[in-house]
Protein backbone atom coordinates (compact mmCIF):
# COMPACT_ATOMS: atom_id res chain seq x y z
CA UNK A 1 0.00 0.00 0.00
CA UNK A 2 1.33 3.44 -0.92
CA UNK A 3 2.39 5.68 1.95
CA UNK A 4 -0.05 8.54 2.47
CA UNK A 5 1.48 11.98 1.96
CA UNK A 6 0.92 15.08 4.03
CA UNK A 7 1.29 18.43 2.26
CA UNK A 8 3.84 20.82 3.75
CA UNK A 9 1.84 23.77 2.42
CA UNK A 10 4.83 24.68 0.21
CA UNK A 11 4.17 23.50 -3.32
CA UNK A 12 7.78 23.28 -4.52
CA UNK A 13 8.78 21.35 -1.39
CA UNK A 14 5.88 18.90 -1.83
CA UNK A 15 7.11 18.28 -5.39
CA UNK A 16 10.59 17.44 -4.11
CA UNK A 17 9.01 15.11 -1.53
CA UNK A 18 6.95 13.20 -4.14
CA UNK A 19 3.72 14.73 -2.80
CA UNK A 20 4.58 15.68 0.77
CA UNK A 21 5.89 14.29 4.04
CA UNK A 22 5.08 10.64 4.74
CA UNK A 23 2.06 10.61 7.07
CA UNK A 24 2.95 10.04 10.76
CA UNK A 25 6.66 10.37 10.08
CA UNK A 26 9.09 12.32 12.25
CA UNK A 27 11.10 14.81 10.17
CA UNK A 28 14.08 16.90 11.23
CA UNK A 29 14.48 20.31 9.60
CA UNK A 30 17.94 21.62 10.31
CA UNK A 31 19.66 24.85 9.38
CA UNK A 32 21.34 28.00 10.64
CA UNK A 33 19.36 30.89 12.17
CA UNK A 34 17.14 32.89 9.83
CA UNK A 35 16.86 30.27 7.09
CA UNK A 36 13.08 29.92 7.44
CA UNK A 37 12.73 26.77 9.56
CA UNK A 38 9.99 28.22 11.77
CA UNK A 39 8.23 29.77 8.77
CA UNK A 40 8.26 26.38 7.01
CA UNK A 41 6.62 24.83 10.06
CA UNK A 42 3.93 27.55 10.01
CA UNK A 43 3.16 26.65 6.38
CA UNK A 44 2.89 23.00 7.46
CA UNK A 45 0.52 23.76 10.38
CA UNK A 46 -1.66 26.22 8.46
CA UNK A 47 -1.98 23.80 5.53
CA UNK A 48 -3.16 21.17 8.01
CA UNK A 49 -5.51 23.56 9.82
CA UNK A 50 -7.18 24.51 6.55
CA UNK A 51 -7.63 20.82 5.69
CA UNK A 52 -9.14 19.51 8.93
CA UNK A 53 -5.77 18.43 10.34
CA UNK A 54 -5.33 20.20 13.65
CA UNK A 55 -1.76 21.21 14.52
CA UNK A 56 0.15 21.78 17.73
CA UNK A 57 3.23 24.03 17.84
CA UNK A 58 5.48 23.75 20.89
CA UNK A 59 7.96 26.59 21.08
CA UNK A 60 10.96 26.20 23.37
CA UNK A 61 12.58 29.54 22.73
CA UNK A 62 10.49 31.96 20.67
CA UNK A 63 7.67 33.60 22.67
CA UNK A 64 4.09 32.94 21.53
CA UNK A 65 3.53 36.61 20.67
CA UNK A 66 6.56 36.63 18.40
CA UNK A 67 5.28 33.55 16.54
CA UNK A 68 1.82 35.12 16.15
CA UNK A 69 3.41 38.31 14.86
CA UNK A 70 5.66 36.56 12.37
CA UNK A 71 2.62 34.61 11.11
CA UNK A 72 0.64 37.84 10.78
CA UNK A 73 3.43 39.45 8.74
CA UNK A 74 3.33 36.53 6.32
CA UNK A 75 -0.46 36.44 6.03
CA UNK A 76 -1.13 33.45 8.32
CA UNK A 77 -3.98 34.29 10.69
CA UNK A 78 -2.78 32.08 13.54
CA UNK A 79 -5.05 33.72 16.13
CA UNK A 80 -8.12 32.93 14.03
CA UNK A 81 -6.99 29.31 13.56
CA UNK A 82 -6.49 29.03 17.33
CA UNK A 83 -9.96 30.46 18.00
CA UNK A 84 -11.42 27.86 15.65
CA UNK A 85 -9.52 25.10 17.52
CA UNK A 86 -7.50 24.21 14.45
CA UNK A 87 -4.17 25.20 15.92
CA UNK A 88 -2.61 25.29 19.39
CA UNK A 89 0.56 27.29 20.06
CA UNK A 90 2.27 26.40 23.33
CA UNK A 91 5.29 28.00 24.97
CA UNK A 92 7.07 25.18 26.73
CA UNK A 93 8.43 27.35 29.55
CA UNK A 94 4.94 28.64 30.32
CA UNK A 95 3.93 25.02 30.91
CA UNK A 96 6.82 24.70 33.38
CA UNK A 97 6.14 28.04 35.05
CA UNK A 98 2.45 27.11 35.42
CA UNK A 99 3.53 23.96 37.24
CA UNK A 100 5.71 26.10 39.48
CA UNK A 101 2.91 28.61 40.09
CA UNK A 102 0.63 25.68 40.96
CA UNK A 103 3.24 24.58 43.50
CA UNK A 104 3.44 28.13 44.91
CA UNK A 105 -0.33 28.10 45.46
CA UNK A 106 -0.09 24.79 47.34
CA UNK A 107 2.82 26.06 49.48
CA UNK A 108 0.94 29.29 50.25
CA UNK A 109 -2.11 27.32 51.37
CA UNK A 110 0.08 25.23 53.66
CA UNK A 111 1.69 28.37 55.13
CA UNK A 112 -1.74 29.93 55.81
CA UNK A 113 -2.93 26.77 57.59
CA UNK A 114 0.26 26.61 59.69
CA UNK A 115 0.03 30.29 60.63
CA UNK A 116 -3.52 29.68 61.95
CA UNK A 117 -2.35 26.66 63.92
CA UNK A 118 0.58 28.63 65.33
CA UNK A 119 -1.79 31.38 66.53
CA UNK A 120 -3.86 28.81 68.42
CA UNK A 121 -0.75 27.30 70.05
CA UNK A 122 0.45 30.74 71.05
CA UNK A 123 -2.94 31.61 72.57
CA UNK A 124 -2.75 28.40 74.61
CA UNK A 125 0.78 29.27 75.75
CA UNK A 126 2.38 26.31 73.90
CA UNK A 127 5.73 26.14 72.07
CA UNK A 128 5.67 27.07 68.38
CA UNK A 129 9.30 26.33 67.45
CA UNK A 130 8.56 23.37 65.19
CA UNK A 131 5.90 25.28 63.30
CA UNK A 132 8.15 28.35 63.04
CA UNK A 133 10.85 26.25 61.39
CA UNK A 134 8.42 24.68 58.95
CA UNK A 135 6.87 28.07 58.05
CA UNK A 136 10.36 29.60 57.49
CA UNK A 137 11.29 26.66 55.24
CA UNK A 138 8.10 27.05 53.19
CA UNK A 139 8.65 30.81 52.86
CA UNK A 140 12.14 30.09 51.50
CA UNK A 141 10.53 27.73 48.98
CA UNK A 142 8.17 30.54 47.86
CA UNK A 143 11.20 32.81 47.32
CA UNK A 144 12.90 30.06 45.30
CA UNK A 145 9.81 29.54 43.13
CA UNK A 146 9.39 33.25 42.51
CA UNK A 147 13.04 33.61 41.55
CA UNK A 148 12.82 30.62 39.20
CA UNK A 149 9.68 31.98 37.53
CA UNK A 150 11.20 35.49 37.26
CA UNK A 151 14.38 34.17 35.70
CA UNK A 152 12.71 31.33 33.78
CA UNK A 153 15.17 28.94 35.41
CA UNK A 154 13.60 25.93 36.94
CA UNK A 155 15.25 23.16 38.89
CA UNK A 156 13.85 20.54 36.60
CA UNK A 157 15.92 17.51 35.66
CA UNK A 158 16.13 16.32 32.07
CA UNK A 159 13.91 13.39 32.92
CA UNK A 160 11.28 15.69 34.51
CA UNK A 161 11.42 18.03 31.50
CA UNK A 162 10.75 15.10 29.17
CA UNK A 163 7.84 13.96 31.38
CA UNK A 164 6.33 17.46 31.55
CA UNK A 165 6.62 17.82 27.77
CA UNK A 166 5.00 14.48 26.95
CA UNK A 167 2.33 14.64 29.62
CA UNK A 168 1.17 17.99 28.17
CA UNK A 169 1.26 16.55 24.62
CA UNK A 170 -0.59 13.43 25.71
CA UNK A 171 -3.30 15.68 27.13
CA UNK A 172 -3.58 18.11 24.26
CA UNK A 173 -3.24 15.81 21.21
CA UNK A 174 -6.34 13.66 21.92
CA UNK A 175 -8.23 16.72 23.19
CA UNK A 176 -7.91 18.67 19.92
CA UNK A 177 -7.47 15.52 17.78
CA UNK A 178 -4.15 16.85 16.46
CA UNK A 179 -2.59 15.28 13.39
CA UNK A 180 0.47 17.52 13.08
CA UNK A 181 3.09 18.61 15.58
CA UNK A 182 6.00 21.04 15.42
CA UNK A 183 8.74 21.08 18.06
CA UNK A 184 10.77 24.30 17.78
CA UNK A 185 13.46 23.52 18.55
CA UNK A 186 15.27 20.34 19.50
CA UNK A 187 18.38 22.47 20.07
CA UNK A 188 16.57 24.65 22.64
CA UNK A 189 15.26 21.49 24.35
CA UNK A 190 18.79 20.08 24.45
CA UNK A 191 20.50 23.25 25.64
CA UNK A 192 20.06 22.18 29.27
CA UNK A 193 22.06 19.03 28.59
CA UNK A 194 20.65 15.86 27.10
CA UNK A 195 22.42 12.52 26.93
CA UNK A 196 22.34 10.36 23.81
CA UNK A 197 20.09 7.92 25.64
CA UNK A 198 17.53 10.56 26.55
CA UNK A 199 17.61 11.98 23.01
CA UNK A 200 16.93 8.46 21.76
CA UNK A 201 13.97 8.20 24.14
CA UNK A 202 12.70 11.68 23.20
CA UNK A 203 12.56 10.88 19.48
CA UNK A 204 11.17 7.40 20.13
CA UNK A 205 8.32 8.95 22.16
CA UNK A 206 7.66 11.55 19.45
CA UNK A 207 7.32 8.78 16.88
CA UNK A 208 4.97 6.92 19.21
CA UNK A 209 2.52 9.84 19.12
CA UNK A 210 1.43 8.61 15.67
CA UNK A 211 1.09 12.05 14.13
CA UNK A 212 3.27 13.84 11.59
CA UNK A 213 6.07 15.63 13.44
CA UNK A 214 8.46 18.37 12.33
CA UNK A 215 11.39 18.67 14.67
CA UNK A 216 13.48 21.80 14.13
CA UNK A 217 17.19 21.83 14.78
CA UNK A 218 19.55 24.81 14.84
CA UNK A 219 22.60 23.18 13.28
CA UNK A 220 24.79 24.57 16.09
CA UNK A 221 28.43 23.59 16.69
CA UNK A 222 28.05 22.71 20.38
CA UNK A 223 25.36 20.06 19.79
CA UNK A 224 26.64 18.66 16.50
CA UNK A 225 27.21 15.12 17.73
CA UNK A 226 23.74 14.89 19.29
CA UNK A 227 22.22 16.20 16.08
CA UNK A 228 23.95 13.45 14.15
CA UNK A 229 22.30 10.96 16.50
CA UNK A 230 18.93 12.66 15.93
CA UNK A 231 19.44 12.43 12.16
CA UNK A 232 19.64 8.68 12.10
CA UNK A 233 16.72 8.25 14.50
CA UNK A 234 14.20 10.33 12.52
CA UNK A 235 12.46 9.29 9.28
CA UNK A 236 13.62 12.25 7.24
CA UNK A 237 16.05 15.15 7.26
CA UNK A 238 15.69 18.41 5.33
CA UNK A 239 18.65 20.78 5.54
CA UNK A 240 18.43 24.51 4.94
CA UNK A 241 21.53 26.47 3.94
CA UNK A 242 22.56 30.06 3.36
CA UNK A 243 24.00 30.36 -0.12
CA UNK A 244 26.06 33.43 0.61
CA UNK A 245 25.46 36.65 2.48
CA UNK A 246 25.03 38.74 -0.69
CA UNK A 247 21.90 37.07 -1.99
CA UNK A 248 18.47 36.41 -0.55
CA UNK A 249 18.28 33.04 -2.28
CA UNK A 250 18.83 30.09 0.04
CA UNK A 251 18.99 26.40 -0.71
CA UNK A 252 17.68 23.23 0.78
CA UNK A 253 18.51 19.60 0.47
CA UNK A 254 16.49 16.53 1.35
CA UNK A 255 19.28 14.48 2.82
CA UNK A 256 17.10 11.59 4.01
CA UNK A 257 13.46 10.65 3.52
CA UNK A 258 12.28 7.14 4.27
CA UNK A 259 9.75 5.60 1.87
CA UNK A 260 10.44 8.30 -0.72
CA UNK A 261 12.35 8.32 -3.97
CA UNK A 262 15.21 10.62 -3.15
CA UNK A 263 15.82 13.67 -5.32
CA UNK A 264 19.48 14.42 -4.63
CA UNK A 265 21.05 17.84 -4.86
CA UNK A 266 20.02 21.29 -3.82
CA UNK A 267 16.86 23.24 -4.55
CA UNK A 268 16.84 26.99 -4.17
CA UNK A 269 14.18 28.88 -2.24
CA UNK A 270 13.35 32.40 -1.09
CA UNK A 271 11.62 33.80 1.95
CA UNK A 272 9.11 36.24 0.48
CA UNK A 273 6.47 38.42 2.18
CA UNK A 274 4.07 35.52 1.54
CA UNK A 275 6.37 32.89 3.01
CA UNK A 276 8.68 30.26 1.54
CA UNK A 277 8.79 29.77 -2.21
CA UNK A 278 10.81 26.78 -3.49
CA UNK A 279 11.91 26.86 -7.10
N1 LIG B 1 7.67 39.16 5.91
C1 LIG B 1 8.84 38.70 5.49
N2 LIG B 1 9.29 38.90 4.25
C2 LIG B 1 10.46 38.44 3.82
N3 LIG B 1 11.30 37.72 4.60
C3 LIG B 1 10.93 37.50 5.85
C4 LIG B 1 9.69 37.94 6.38
N4 LIG B 1 9.60 37.56 7.65
C5 LIG B 1 10.72 36.90 7.92
N5 LIG B 1 11.53 36.87 6.84
C6 LIG B 1 12.85 36.22 6.76
O1 LIG B 1 12.73 35.01 7.46
C7 LIG B 1 13.78 34.88 8.41
C8 LIG B 1 13.26 34.24 9.68
O2 LIG B 1 12.65 33.01 9.37
P1 LIG B 1 12.45 31.92 10.51
O3 LIG B 1 12.02 32.58 11.75
O4 LIG B 1 11.61 30.86 9.94
O5 LIG B 1 13.95 31.44 10.63
P2 LIG B 1 14.51 30.23 11.52
O6 LIG B 1 15.30 29.38 10.60
O7 LIG B 1 13.40 29.61 12.27
O8 LIG B 1 15.50 31.02 12.47
P3 LIG B 1 15.91 30.70 14.00
O9 LIG B 1 16.86 29.56 13.91
O10 LIG B 1 16.58 31.96 14.43
O11 LIG B 1 14.67 30.41 14.75
C9 LIG B 1 14.23 36.28 8.70
O12 LIG B 1 15.61 36.26 9.00
C10 LIG B 1 13.93 37.01 7.43
O13 LIG B 1 15.05 36.96 6.59
MG1 LIG C 1 12.94 29.61 14.35
Amino acid sequence: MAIKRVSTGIKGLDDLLCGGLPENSCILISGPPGTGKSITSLHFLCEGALNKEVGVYVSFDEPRESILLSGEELGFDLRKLEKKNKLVILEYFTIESNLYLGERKRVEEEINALVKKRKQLEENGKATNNLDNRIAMLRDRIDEIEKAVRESRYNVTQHEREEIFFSRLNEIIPLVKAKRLVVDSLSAYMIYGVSKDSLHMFIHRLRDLDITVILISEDAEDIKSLEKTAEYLVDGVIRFHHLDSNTDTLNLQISKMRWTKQKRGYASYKITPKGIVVK
Side-chain angles (χ1 to χ4, degrees):
M1 204 173 65
I3 298 266
K4 221 177 134 191
R5 301 281 159 174
V6 165
S7 170
T8 60
I10 302 170
K11 165 95 180 57
L13 183 56
D14 284 349
D15 292 344
L16 294 173
L17 291 163
C18 303
L21 300 173
E23 188 180 38
N24 297 348
S25 59
C26 180
I27 308 299
L28 188 80
I29 294 186
S30 98
T35 46
K37 303 180 296 295
S38 299
I39 295 177
T40 301
S41 67
L42 290 183
H43 278 281
F44 166 73
L45 292 175
C46 289
E47 174 68 20
L50 296 172
N51 291 293
K52 300 198 175 100
E53 292 205 341
V54 177
V56 176
Y57 189 127
V58 186
S59 172
F60 274 91
D61 40 13
E62 198 175 341
R64 221 185 103 77
E65 281 306 314
S66 160
I67 297 164
L68 291 172
L69 191 68
S70 107
E72 219 166 85
E73 286 292 309
L74 297 160
F76 299 123
D77 196 344
L78 306 178
R79 287 179 210 271
K80 189 166 147 199
L81 293 175
E82 275 202 312
K83 270 200 192 123
K84 289 184 162 177
N85 298 323
K86 291 179 170 177
L87 176 67
V88 181
I89 301 175
L90 300 172
E91 273 174 351
Y92 174 77
F93 286 99
T94 305
I95 302 172
E96 266 189 17
S97 75
N98 284 344
L99 287 178
Y100 264 66
L101 293 172
E103 188 195 344
R104 184 176 71 176
K105 193 159 172 265
R106 283 191 301 278
V107 175
E108 270 169 353
E109 282 166 3
E110 191 179 344
I111 292 177
N112 291 341
L114 292 177
V115 167
K116 258 192 202 160
K117 209 167 162 187
R118 186 190 180 284
K119 207 172 155 210
Q120 283 170 356
L121 288 176
E122 214 174 31
E123 280 168 5
N124 295 331
K126 293 194 176 148
T128 58
N129 298 7
N130 286 347
L131 281 187
D132 288 341
N133 290 342
R134 175 80 186 142
I135 291 169
M137 219 179 77
L138 291 173
R139 288 201 168 127
D140 285 348
R141 180 65 193 143
I142 296 263
D143 290 344
E144 267 172 36
I145 294 170
E146 282 183 347
K147 190 159 184 280
V149 171
R150 219 171 29 244
E151 296 173 0
S152 298
R153 277 195 296 111
Y154 311 97
N155 289 321
V156 171
T157 63
Q158 183 52 47
H159 176 68
E160 284 166 336
R161 178 156 286 136
E162 187 185 312
E163 290 310 312
I164 293 168
F165 175 77
F166 283 104
S167 69
R168 188 74 184 104
L169 283 184
N170 286 325
E171 250 168 39
I172 202 91
I173 290 172
L175 189 71
V176 299
K177 299 191 175 66
K179 295 268 186 271
R180 299 180 179 216
L181 170 70
V182 171
V183 181
D184 191 358
S185 64
L186 178 65
S187 330
Y189 173 77
M190 295 196 300
I191 215 158
Y192 299 90
V194 171
S195 66
K196 277 198 175 161
D197 281 350
S198 53
L199 176 64
H200 209 287
M201 187 52 77
F202 183 74
I203 292 178
H204 181 74
R205 291 179 79 174
L206 281 178
R207 296 171 59 126
D208 270 0
L209 295 172
D210 271 340
I211 62 176
T212 314
V213 181
I214 286 185
L215 188 53
I216 292 174
S217 161
E218 292 295 338
D219 201 8
E221 278 308 320
D222 48 347
I223 48 163
K224 267 259 174 320
S225 78
L226 278 172
E227 272 187 346
K228 285 268 162 292
T229 308
E231 286 184 8
Y232 78 75
L233 294 171
V234 293
D235 300 308
V237 180
I238 305 175
R239 285 179 206 278
F240 287 4
H241 304 271
H242 282 300
L243 258 180
D244 66 59
S245 50
N246 299 322
T247 156
D248 58 359
T249 300
L250 300 116
N251 64 30
L252 65 84
Q253 180 190 32
I254 297 166
S255 54
K256 162 178 170 178
M257 195 60 58
R258 285 184 182 141
W259 318 294
T260 307
K261 189 167 161 255
Q262 196 111 2
K263 292 187 181 167
R264 301 276 169 196
Y266 292 96
S268 60
Y269 70 98
K270 275 189 179 178
I271 310 177
T272 75
K274 286 190 171 165
I276 308 270
V277 178
V278 178
K279 287 189 188 156

